Amino acid sequence: PCPTFSALLDRFYEEREHLERVKQRGQDLIRSVTTARDRTARKIAHQEQELAATHDRERLRQLGDILTSNFYQMERGMARLRTVDFYDPEGREIDVPLDPLLTPQQNAAKYYKEYNKAKTAEVMLTQQLEKGRRELDYLNSVLDTIPLAEGEKDLQEIRQELTDTGYLRRPSKAKGREKRVVSKPMEFRSSAGLRISVGKNNTQNDLLTCKQAFKSDIWFHTQKIHGSHVILWLEGGEADALILPETAILAATFSQAGEGSRVPVDYTPVKYVKKPAGARPGMVVYTTYQTAVVDPDPELAKQLRVK
């Protein structure tokens, strides 16, 4: 209700300008995160190529063996050795490239060294790829939370998260004296009157799941899909057959699959949800869960939203 038509228009344009400012600042964040995400994706693609190259390392060891068994045919200055490949079932001849500046023993040692180097590289690249894929997954999760921001506080909280994780540079003048922004998650009331909280970013997700919720409260999250952490606060009561689907629908609605259908949503008491040591914001593991398959419903979210 507004006292006058003029007041109604003023409020309308003020809210629209506010939303435009939030949208513009959100776009700046999206560009920064997208740049980091694309850089990480390129690095992963390059490492995958390097890893694929290490899979042929066994041939390097075989060539070293072939040279070792043919020292009597070799001498310094040779550019290649033509001999029988005793690893070939048909016993065909091959040309083994040599370094003319090296002795026969040094040429064989060179192949063994390259073999061991590829073997070590496989271990290192596998570890780096695992880390890189976690980083890529994390950055994609941040991109999914930016559109949920409803004001500057929400965006500032995401900036703080990206600064803490090293993706944004901390302003030098703010070091040591910056004030941390804390925004609030979205709040809903189920048809039965129970409170439901939905995190709008990874910081809120961690706070809800790891610090605020009781072990008996119910945690919801889309299965293997980026999305908000959703907490159904039981407050000493029990969840009935209607509340669980409603909460699952909210989890599906505020997820990467928000425009899809038949979205699997896992739910479990908070006591089964753990945050691994050193995990990025918003990342958790869970066990002993059930799964509901639901359709996202923005209209239901609007109806249940607490203003």
Side-chain angles (χ1 to χ4, degrees):
C2 289
T4 65
F5 188 72
S6 177
L8 171 67
L9 288 177
D10 287 344
R11 189 174 72 177
F12 169 76
Y13 285 111
E14 182 180 344
E15 289 181 357
R16 190 172 73 171
E17 288 174 8
H18 169 74
L19 290 174
E20 285 297 323
R21 286 196 300 272
V22 172
K23 183 178 178 181
Q24 180 58 48
R25 290 172 181 173
Q27 288 299 322
D28 294 340
L29 270 179
I30 287 174
R31 280 192 291 271
S32 297
V33 179
T34 299
T35 299
R37 190 270 313 272
D38 293 346
R39 183 169 60 245
T40 302
R42 288 194 297 271
K43 184 177 179 181
I44 289 173
H46 180 66
Q47 289 173 338
E48 286 175 338
Q49 290 178 349
E50 290 183 325
L51 181 62
T54 68
H55 295 162
D56 296 329
R57 67 180 183 275
E58 193 61 28
R59 187 56 178 165
L60 295 171
R61 185 188 63 78
Q62 291 176 359
L63 292 176
D65 291 346
I66 292 171
L67 292 184
T68 300
S69 64
N70 285 278
F71 283 158
Y72 67 95
Q73 296 189 61
M74 302 166 58
E75 60 184 30
R76 185 192 289 267
M78 293 176 63
R80 63 179 54 83
L81 170 69
R82 184 164 186 81
T83 186
V84 173
D85 180 2
F86 49 76
Y87 283 103
D88 185 342
E90 298 180 11
R92 288 172 291 195
E93 289 190 336
I94 57 166
D95 285 323
V96 183
L98 303 174
D99 186 336
L101 300 178
L102 300 180
T103 66
Q105 292 81 3
Q106 288 172 332
N107 268 293
K110 183 180 177 182
Y111 277 103
Y112 289 130
K113 183 178 180 180
E114 290 177 357
Y115 165 75
N116 287 321
K117 183 179 177 181
K119 190 175 181 180
T120 302
E122 181 184 40
V123 175
M124 297 298 294
L125 286 167
T126 300
Q127 294 173 349
Q128 291 172 3
L129 278 168
E130 184 179 349
K131 180 181 177 182
R133 287 166 183 148
R134 287 199 302 266
E135 291 297 308
L136 187 64
D137 189 52
Y138 166 70
L139 290 167
N140 281 325
S141 77
V142 175
L143 282 174
D144 289 332
T145 65
I146 295 173
L148 297 179
E150 297 178 308
E152 180 56 32
K153 271 192 173 183
D154 292 332
L155 292 176
Q156 184 58 29
E157 199 165 42
I158 296 174
R159 286 193 200 97
Q160 287 173 175
E161 176 189 335
L162 291 170
T163 300
D164 292 342
T165 50
Y167 290 102
L168 290 182
R169 186 176 300 173
R170 194 184 305 276
S172 57
K173 63 180 181 180
K175 286 183 179 178
R177 57 184 182 84
E178 61 180 309
K179 185 177 180 181
R180 307 240 359 137
V181 172
V182 179
S183 60
K184 295 181 179 180
M186 292 179 280
E187 294 292 336
F188 300 82
R189 284 283 173 185
S190 71
S191 299
L194 285 183
R195 176 185 166 207
I196 303 169
S197 296
V198 177
K200 289 183 283 188
N201 55 57
N202 288 322
T203 300
Q204 290 181 10
N205 290 336
D206 275 355
L207 192 62
L208 280 172
T209 302
C210 305
K211 294 186 177 181
Q212 294 179 340
F214 292 100
K215 291 183 178 182
S216 57
D217 294 327
I218 310 297
W219 179 87
F220 291 74
H221 195 282
T222 42
Q223 186 183 91
K224 299 180 181 178
I225 301 171
H226 295 136
S228 297
H229 290 207
V230 179
I231 300 295
L232 172 61
W233 306 85
L234 294 183
E235 299 170 346
E238 293 183 358
D240 60 28
L242 176 62
I243 298 175
L244 291 176
E246 281 184 347
T247 313
I249 288 171
L250 290 177
T253 302
F254 295 102
S255 76
Q256 197 177 37
E259 296 182 359
S261 61
R262 304 290 296 167
V263 179
V265 176
D266 294 338
Y267 61 96
T268 185
V270 171
K271 65 181 179 180
Y272 295 120
V273 183
K274 308 295 179 185
K275 188 171 186 67
R280 288 296 192 189
M283 302 297 175
V284 295
V285 294
Y286 55 96
T287 57
T288 319
Y289 60 91
Q290 294 177 272
T291 303
V293 178
V294 297
D295 293 332
D297 190 344
E299 287 302 316
L300 177 65
K302 288 180 182 178
Q303 294 171 18
L304 301 182
R305 182 74 187 266
V306 176
K307 300 299 182 181

